[in-house]
mmCIF file of all heavy atoms in Angstrom:
data_model
loop_
_atom_site.group_PDB
_atom_site.id
_atom_site.type_symbol
_atom_site.label_atom_id
_atom_site.label_comp_id
_atom_site.label_asym_id
_atom_site.label_seq_id
_atom_site.Cartn_x
_atom_site.Cartn_y
_atom_site.Cartn_z
ATOM 1 N N ARG K 1593 174.097 -17.952 110.354
ATOM 2 C CA ARG K 1593 173.147 -18.333 111.300
ATOM 3 C C ARG K 1593 172.493 -17.080 111.896
ATOM 4 O O ARG K 1593 173.181 -16.084 112.225
ATOM 5 C CB ARG K 1593 173.789 -19.193 112.431
ATOM 6 C CG ARG K 1593 174.420 -20.503 111.929
ATOM 7 C CD ARG K 1593 175.846 -20.296 111.565
ATOM 8 N NE ARG K 1593 176.503 -21.551 111.157
ATOM 9 C CZ ARG K 1593 177.197 -22.335 111.956
ATOM 10 N NH1 ARG K 1593 177.352 -21.982 113.234
ATOM 11 N NH2 ARG K 1593 177.754 -23.472 111.521
ATOM 12 N N HIS K 1594 171.134 -17.113 112.083
ATOM 13 C CA HIS K 1594 170.493 -16.041 112.741
ATOM 14 C C HIS K 1594 169.573 -16.697 113.794
ATOM 15 O O HIS K 1594 168.686 -17.449 113.576
ATOM 16 C CB HIS K 1594 169.614 -15.296 111.713
ATOM 17 C CG HIS K 1594 168.842 -14.173 112.378
ATOM 18 N ND1 HIS K 1594 169.413 -13.015 112.818
ATOM 19 C CD2 HIS K 1594 167.529 -14.005 112.612
ATOM 20 C CE1 HIS K 1594 168.530 -12.220 113.313
ATOM 21 N NE2 HIS K 1594 167.336 -12.810 113.216
ATOM 22 N N LEU K 1595 169.925 -16.429 115.040
ATOM 23 C CA LEU K 1595 169.239 -17.090 116.198
ATOM 24 C C LEU K 1595 168.469 -16.047 116.969
ATOM 25 O O LEU K 1595 169.032 -14.992 117.333
ATOM 26 C CB LEU K 1595 170.318 -17.728 117.092
ATOM 27 C CG LEU K 1595 169.823 -18.606 118.219
ATOM 28 C CD1 LEU K 1595 169.019 -19.792 117.713
ATOM 29 C CD2 LEU K 1595 171.075 -19.168 119.010
ATOM 30 N N VAL K 1596 167.215 -16.345 117.271
ATOM 31 C CA VAL K 1596 166.353 -15.388 117.966
ATOM 32 C C VAL K 1596 165.770 -16.084 119.254
ATOM 33 O O VAL K 1596 165.344 -17.240 119.184
ATOM 34 C CB VAL K 1596 165.140 -14.930 117.073
ATOM 35 C CG1 VAL K 1596 164.216 -14.009 117.904
ATOM 36 C CG2 VAL K 1596 165.674 -14.179 115.886
ATOM 37 N N CYS K 1597 165.819 -15.390 120.377
ATOM 38 C CA CYS K 1597 165.386 -15.902 121.642
ATOM 39 C C CYS K 1597 164.336 -14.921 122.167
ATOM 40 O O CYS K 1597 164.532 -13.710 122.133
ATOM 41 C CB CYS K 1597 166.471 -15.997 122.643
ATOM 42 S SG CYS K 1597 165.935 -16.425 124.338
ATOM 43 N N SER K 1598 163.186 -15.467 122.592
ATOM 44 C CA SER K 1598 162.080 -14.604 123.181
ATOM 45 C C SER K 1598 161.754 -15.218 124.517
ATOM 46 O O SER K 1598 161.520 -16.439 124.603
ATOM 47 C CB SER K 1598 160.925 -14.511 122.262
ATOM 48 O OG SER K 1598 160.335 -15.746 122.006
ATOM 49 N N VAL K 1599 161.491 -14.384 125.479
ATOM 50 C CA VAL K 1599 161.089 -14.769 126.815
ATOM 51 C C VAL K 1599 159.825 -13.927 127.227
ATOM 52 O O VAL K 1599 159.997 -12.711 127.246
ATOM 53 C CB VAL K 1599 162.185 -14.567 127.888
ATOM 54 C CG1 VAL K 1599 161.717 -14.970 129.300
ATOM 55 C CG2 VAL K 1599 163.420 -15.471 127.517
ATOM 56 N N THR K 1600 158.746 -14.616 127.432
ATOM 57 C CA THR K 1600 157.499 -13.895 127.681
ATOM 58 C C THR K 1600 156.986 -13.978 129.099
ATOM 59 O O THR K 1600 155.961 -13.470 129.470
ATOM 60 C CB THR K 1600 156.390 -14.452 126.762
ATOM 61 O OG1 THR K 1600 156.202 -15.830 126.978
ATOM 62 C CG2 THR K 1600 156.688 -14.197 125.278
ATOM 63 N N GLY K 1601 157.788 -14.655 129.970
ATOM 64 C CA GLY K 1601 157.386 -14.771 131.311
ATOM 65 C C GLY K 1601 157.709 -13.631 132.281
ATOM 66 O O GLY K 1601 157.275 -13.565 133.434
ATOM 67 N N THR K 1602 158.485 -12.652 131.732
ATOM 68 C CA THR K 1602 158.819 -11.470 132.564
ATOM 69 C C THR K 1602 157.745 -10.431 132.364
ATOM 70 O O THR K 1602 156.859 -10.557 131.511
ATOM 71 C CB THR K 1602 160.202 -10.914 132.032
ATOM 72 O OG1 THR K 1602 160.139 -10.658 130.716
ATOM 73 C CG2 THR K 1602 161.276 -11.913 132.306
ATOM 74 N N PRO K 1603 157.744 -9.311 133.135
ATOM 75 C CA PRO K 1603 156.705 -8.335 132.944
ATOM 76 C C PRO K 1603 156.661 -7.790 131.498
ATOM 77 O O PRO K 1603 155.564 -7.361 131.019
ATOM 78 C CB PRO K 1603 157.166 -7.172 133.915
ATOM 79 C CG PRO K 1603 157.877 -7.876 134.971
ATOM 80 C CD PRO K 1603 158.608 -9.009 134.274
ATOM 81 N N GLU K 1604 157.724 -7.828 130.798
ATOM 82 C CA GLU K 1604 157.763 -7.418 129.388
ATOM 83 C C GLU K 1604 158.360 -8.538 128.581
ATOM 84 O O GLU K 1604 159.268 -9.266 129.039
ATOM 85 C CB GLU K 1604 158.545 -6.139 129.138
ATOM 86 C CG GLU K 1604 158.012 -4.894 129.851
ATOM 87 C CD GLU K 1604 158.840 -3.687 129.559
ATOM 88 O OE1 GLU K 1604 159.417 -3.622 128.481
ATOM 89 O OE2 GLU K 1604 158.887 -2.753 130.414
ATOM 90 N N THR K 1605 157.898 -8.712 127.321
ATOM 91 C CA THR K 1605 158.448 -9.715 126.497
ATOM 92 C C THR K 1605 159.812 -9.313 126.043
ATOM 93 O O THR K 1605 159.967 -8.163 125.498
ATOM 94 C CB THR K 1605 157.601 -9.988 125.287
ATOM 95 O OG1 THR K 1605 156.339 -10.466 125.686
ATOM 96 C CG2 THR K 1605 158.249 -10.975 124.324
ATOM 97 N N LEU K 1606 160.827 -10.066 126.284
ATOM 98 C CA LEU K 1606 162.193 -9.730 125.891
ATOM 99 C C LEU K 1606 162.589 -10.583 124.671
ATOM 100 O O LEU K 1606 162.352 -11.750 124.578
ATOM 101 C CB LEU K 1606 163.165 -10.052 127.008
ATOM 102 C CG LEU K 1606 162.941 -9.213 128.322
ATOM 103 C CD1 LEU K 1606 164.004 -9.589 129.338
ATOM 104 C CD2 LEU K 1606 162.838 -7.757 128.096
ATOM 105 N N VAL K 1607 163.223 -9.856 123.692
ATOM 106 C CA VAL K 1607 163.662 -10.548 122.491
ATOM 107 C C VAL K 1607 165.081 -10.210 122.232
ATOM 108 O O VAL K 1607 165.465 -8.942 122.298
ATOM 109 C CB VAL K 1607 162.760 -10.111 121.226
ATOM 110 C CG1 VAL K 1607 163.262 -10.805 119.953
ATOM 111 C CG2 VAL K 1607 161.318 -10.420 121.498
ATOM 112 N N ALA K 1608 165.935 -11.184 121.898
ATOM 113 C CA ALA K 1608 167.305 -10.976 121.576
ATOM 114 C C ALA K 1608 167.693 -11.740 120.343
ATOM 115 O O ALA K 1608 167.123 -12.834 120.124
ATOM 116 C CB ALA K 1608 168.178 -11.306 122.764
ATOM 117 N N ALA K 1609 168.598 -11.236 119.536
ATOM 118 C CA ALA K 1609 169.057 -11.906 118.371
ATOM 119 C C ALA K 1609 170.534 -12.058 118.334
ATOM 120 O O ALA K 1609 171.301 -11.239 118.890
ATOM 121 C CB ALA K 1609 168.605 -11.103 117.096
#
Side-chain angles (χ1 to χ4, degrees):
R1593 298 90 179 265
H1594 180 71
L1595 188 60
V1596 177
C1597 173
S1598 62
V1599 176
T1600 57
T1602 56
E1604 297 183 30
T1605 298
L1606 301 183
V1607 179

